[in-house]
Amino acid sequence: MNKRQLIDKLSLAPHIEGGYFSRTYSSDLKADIPADSKPRCLLSSIFYMLTDDSPIGHLHKNKSDIIHYFHGGSPLTYLILYPDGTLETKVLGADLDKGQQLQLIVRGGCWKATELETGEFGLISEAVSPGFEYDDMELAEQTIIKNQFPHAWDRLSKYVR
């Protein structure tokens, strides 16, 4: 399938980070998470796709751990900025001989950006535990990243809105 067919078949909509998404699951089970003021679903999952017309998932961080699963299309490059300032590049894709990964875990509290560098689309799923809430996501601001991680600014600047 091409990107337009996948967007239609999977009912994907534009995501505030960039790319397209569709929530596919939210657990009916709820739990009180000590740091939160309301009960949260234990797990949520989405489809997420970057395309040649929306190739960047902008720099953001989440409170929850997220597991990313590659489904198809072209590989996606992830930049992960850890709280200690370490910057790591990982590629989610199917070519294991080239060091690509089918699955990638990004811990809560890490900044991440994603890019489709070639091809028409890259399709993944994400599983988030505890379940995703928009209140748990922080989009990067230029002043925060420049001030806290000046050594990484040149590499990350294009991913900050």
Side-chain angles (χ1 to χ4, degrees), residues 50-140:
L50 291 177
T51 60
D52 53 4
D53 61 329
S54 187
I56 292 178
H58 290 90
L59 190 66
H60 66 285
K61 70 176 171 179
N62 294 287
K63 290 181 183 176
S64 298
D65 293 347
I66 300 179
I67 306 173
H68 305 76
Y69 302 94
F70 184 77
H71 290 300
S74 296
L76 299 176
T77 301
Y78 282 75
L79 296 173
I80 304 165
L81 180 61
Y82 293 87
D84 70 359
T86 302
L87 182 61
E88 185 174 50
T89 302
K90 298 284 186 178
V91 178
L92 202 58
D95 195 340
L96 303 181
D97 287 334
K98 288 187 178 176
Q100 296 174 5
Q101 300 175 216
L102 294 171
Q103 178 179 317
L104 174 66
I105 298 168
V106 178
R107 299 279 181 199
C110 292
W111 293 96
K112 72 173 179 178
T114 314
E115 184 172 14
L116 174 70
E117 297 181 293
T118 63
E120 185 183 29
F121 69 89
L123 176 65
I124 67 166
S125 283
E126 295 180 1
V128 185
S129 181
F132 179 82
E133 296 285 342
Y134 278 101
D135 292 346
D136 293 348
M137 184 187 75
E138 179 182 352
L139 284 169

Side-chain angles (χ1 to χ4, degrees), residues 41-59:
C41 71
L42 295 180
L43 178 74
S44 65
S45 184
I46 65 168
F47 283 119
Y48 184 69
M49 185 167 72
L50 291 177
T51 60
D52 53 4
D53 61 329
S54 187
I56 292 178
H58 290 90
L59 190 66

Side-chain angles (χ1 to χ4, degrees), residues 11-29:
S11 300
L12 302 176
H15 195 288
I16 62 171
E17 297 165 12
Y20 301 85
F21 86 109
S22 176
R23 186 176 283 229
T24 59
Y25 177 76
S26 286
S27 170
D28 289 334
L29 296 173

